[in-house]
Amino acid sequence: MKQQEKGADHHSIVIVGAGVSGIATAIELRKRGIEDFIVLERATGPGGTWHNYRYPGLSCDIPSHLYCFTFEQKSDWTRTHAGQEEIREYLAGVVDKYDLARSIRYGVEVKGARWEDDRREWTLRLGDGSDIRASVFVSAIGMFNEIQWPDIPGLEDFAGRTIHSAQWPDYVDLRGKRVAVIGSAASAVQMVPEIAKQAGQLFVYQRTANWVFPKEDRMFSTGELTQFRQDPAVGLKVRKDLYDFFELFLPFDNAELMQMVADRAMANLQNVVDPGVRARMLPNVPVCSQRPLFSDDWYPTFNRPNVELVTETIERITPSGVQTRDGVERAIDVLVLATGYAANKFLSVIDVTGSRGLRLDEAWREGPQAYLGITTSGFPNLFMLYGPNTNNGSIIYMLEQQAAYIAGKIAYMREHDIAAMDVRREVMDRYNEELQRDLDAVEVWRTPATRYYRSASGRIVTQWPHNMGAYEARTKKPDLDAFELTRAA
């Protein structure tokens, strides 16, 4: 792949998304002296999820010292678990420090992408109807793109205000209002305690009880911050200790650690005072079989007199409230949908067509799959970050490994005049057979409770079954023989 002359409609490399993965990839390319790339971002600023998500209480579940780039350690996080604004500012600072802004176009949405076999390049269709062509297409859109709207009769009939957690407005006054939150997973666990402080009455509709682990979130003291700033080794030691713990825990095969976290989850649940409410919040699935949730405030919130847990099935939304199957209608002013994203679609949320007209949604009919979660057969010169089966531990660390892998492959293509690189089908299939075997060996993921992790076919498509070090080692393993390489004419 030769460096292309820059034009109005052609770039050698197009990265779609300016979140963590797009930022990491751009920096890795620059490290290798590759400058002729462009980043397309549909939002108005960098940060991805941390720019777009703004609901009250939004923060990171991974401790702050582990939730930053290895090459850009932040020594002065204000909290043990940073909030949305602080993370967004950190990522914006990385963009500024590494001079990435000149390569990013904001407010540009990619609607589709098609591989042209004759030209050996991608044509990306933009939201304004124009096209951009690229030799290499890097998807950095990740998992959280298509909003999950609940299928509830009457949803459009509600006369009050409806807010989805993914589209939280810059300002909303909930003081004294009657509020209903539908959902009790990741976003609800963070926002409900904050909403409860403002609402006159809050109804939380729970379909499935989740295990919620104590977060132990707190502000760092002035002394700790001074120490972090004056001696970077202190913060690095904190990071290493966190990394070592997660590496030991993530395979979920250490009986002693599993029992410890189970005990902590059960102890956290005891913060619900009312035994009847506590019983309804007790999950009927093993600890860690669901997406891990963390909060110090979730359970105590249900001790407040203005908060009611509703576990009866929702029958419909009425113009004035929420009606459950038992016939009870609760009148509300504001309806909050904490139902997240369709997290198991990845790049197939846009219309992507590969070689010989192969559609990505058809190729992934039984569930998304890719070699290393990065590249999928039949789609030459397409690389993905936060793709299928790459989620575990600190996603920033996992994304760094993917960005380095992708930049390395692009550099090889340039050095050896490769026009097209496509992973062999048999290699991808063998990798995914081994992957599913290893996923099946994770005992806590055998339960049907892992709905968040699975595609419609039942296959787990989001999770990496090992620790972060194992994934790093796999991405660093020489594997050029895994690809069909087509040299330039």
Side-chain angles (χ1 to χ4, degrees):
M1 182 184 76
K2 294 182 179 179
Q3 179 169 328
Q4 302 286 338
E5 292 184 7
K6 290 187 178 180
D9 65 348
H10 195 289
H11 299 268
S12 290
I13 305 154
V14 171
I15 302 168
V16 180
V20 172
S21 52
I23 292 169
T25 304
I27 291 172
E28 285 291 342
L29 290 172
R30 287 258 173 90
K31 285 180 181 177
R32 289 165 171 78
I34 300 172
E35 293 282 349
D36 52 323
F37 63 85
I38 189 170
V39 182
L40 305 180
E41 170 55 57
R42 66 181 178 181
T44 57
T49 297
W50 298 108
H51 175 87
N52 300 324
Y53 255 31
R54 296 169 183 265
Y55 62 75
L58 176 56
S59 64
C60 186
D61 287 336
I62 295 292
S64 304
H65 282 90
L66 193 55
Y67 200 79
C68 51
F69 294 118
T70 58
F71 58 82
E72 193 60 42
Q73 292 287 308
K74 180 175 169 62
S75 61
D76 58 350
W77 293 107
T78 61
R79 304 190 66 88
T80 57
H81 298 76
Q84 175 263 340
E85 185 174 351
E86 190 170 15
I87 297 173
R88 179 180 59 81
E89 290 175 354
Y90 164 75
L91 293 172
V94 173
V95 168
D96 290 342
K97 179 174 179 177
Y98 290 84
D99 192 24
L100 299 183
R102 60 187 169 91
S103 300
I104 304 176
R105 291 187 188 175
Y106 296 111
V108 179
E109 183 173 12
V110 175
K111 291 289 191 178
R114 174 180 289 274
W115 171 257
E116 309 291 349
D117 285 303
D118 55 344
R119 295 205 304 261
R120 293 174 184 158
E121 66 181 15
W122 285 93
T123 299
L124 279 67
R125 187 178 75 255
L126 306 184
D128 63 2
S130 64
D131 292 336
I132 284 184
R133 290 184 293 130
S135 299
V136 174
F137 169 26
V138 179
S139 169
I141 68 172
M143 292 172 58
F144 306 116
N145 293 283
E146 184 176 298
I147 293 175
Q148 185 85 41
W149 296 94
D151 184 16
I152 303 174
L155 185 60
E156 296 180 357
D157 299 332
F158 180 57
R161 185 170 187 178
T162 300
I163 304 172
H164 195 286
S165 58
Q167 298 177 326
W168 199 267
D170 289 335
Y171 175 76
V172 57
D173 186 2
L174 299 178
R175 290 175 297 178
K177 300 288 179 62
R178 297 168 299 179
V179 181
V181 174
I182 295 178
S184 59
S187 56
V189 163
Q190 294 191 336
M191 72 167 66
V192 162
E194 297 303 313
I195 293 174
K197 297 173 184 177
Q198 302 177 52
Q201 178 67 53
L202 173 60
F203 305 106
V204 180
Y205 289 82
Q206 171 190 280
R207 181 177 63 176
T208 303
N210 293 275
W211 288 109
V212 180
F213 302 95
K215 195 169 186 176
E216 298 180 347
D217 181 34
R218 64 177 179 83
M219 297 284 292
F220 283 119
S221 69
T222 302
E224 287 173 312
L225 288 173
T226 300
Q227 197 174 28
F228 291 148
R229 290 164 181 155
Q230 292 181 349
D231 186 359
V234 176
L236 291 174
K237 175 67 165 54
V238 172
R239 179 189 175 94
K240 183 181 185 306
D241 290 345
L242 289 167
Y243 179 88
D244 290 346
F245 171 79
F246 279 104
E247 287 297 89
L248 189 61
F249 175 66
L250 287 177
F252 301 110
D253 58 0
N254 185 303
E256 183 178 348
L257 279 179
M258 291 297 290
Q259 187 59 55
M260 181 192 76
V261 298
D263 291 344
R264 295 186 69 197
M266 183 59 76
N268 203 27
L269 177 60
Q270 301 310 306
N271 285 304
V272 180
V273 173
D274 187 310
V277 175
R278 187 167 63 244
R280 287 187 288 150
M281 301 186 80
L282 175 65
N284 60 1
V285 295
V287 171
C288 294
S289 64
Q290 305 155 307
R291 178 183 175 181
L293 306 178
F294 300 86
S295 176
D296 301 322
D297 306 318
W298 169 251
Y299 290 128
T301 295
F302 292 89
N303 300 328
R304 298 177 63 105
N306 67 325
V307 177
E308 179 183 348
L309 176 71
V310 184
T311 54
E312 187 71 28
T313 301
I314 296 174
E315 186 173 74
R316 66 178 298 101
I317 305 297
T318 70
S320 57
V322 182
Q323 181 176 315
T324 47
R325 190 174 293 171
D326 57 3
V328 176
E329 179 182 351
R330 292 170 175 84
I332 59 171
D333 305 302
V334 180
L335 176 62
V336 176
L337 305 175
T339 50
Y341 287 100
N344 53 18
K345 291 187 175 182
F346 303 96
L347 181 56
S348 66
V349 296
I350 66 174
D351 182 18
V352 178
T353 303
S355 182
R356 300 179 182 179
L358 177 63
R359 291 177 54 87
L360 186 61
D361 55 359
E362 285 295 315
W364 284 358
R365 186 183 305 171
E366 296 301 312
Q369 58 178 315
Y371 173 63
L372 299 178
I374 294 174
T375 184
T376 191
S377 184
F379 297 82
N381 296 8
L382 169 63
F383 301 100
M384 297 172 286
L385 295 103
Y386 211 164
N389 299 109
T390 59
N391 189 37
N392 213 3
S394 172
I395 191 59
I396 288 189
Y397 192 83
M398 297 288 280
L399 291 171
E400 276 194 57
Q401 314 317 314
Q402 294 160 43
Y405 179 91
I406 291 168
K409 288 294 183 284
I410 293 173
Y412 181 87
M413 292 174 69
R414 290 183 166 224
E415 292 164 6
H416 297 84
D417 206 15
I418 303 298
M421 172 179 281
D422 190 10
V423 66
R424 300 177 190 274
R425 178 71 198 215
E426 66 273 15
V427 172
M428 185 181 77
D429 288 345
R430 184 167 61 249
Y431 171 82
N432 278 277
E433 287 169 6
E434 295 171 357
L435 182 71
Q436 291 300 317
R437 181 199 65 205
D438 292 349
L439 287 164
D440 289 341
V442 182
E443 184 176 354
V444 295
W445 290 346
R446 294 175 190 161
T447 170
T450 54
R451 183 172 55 242
Y452 174 85
Y453 299 151
R454 299 178 187 272
S455 66
S457 67
R459 180 195 297 162
I460 292 179
V461 296
T462 61
Q463 301 307 106
W464 168 250
H466 308 293
N467 57 24
M468 296 177 284
Y471 186 78
E472 179 182 7
R474 189 63 191 255
T475 58
K476 284 181 166 50
K477 182 179 178 181
D479 63 353
L480 283 172
D481 58 349
F483 294 88
E484 294 275 3
L485 302 178
T486 304
R487 295 190 179 276

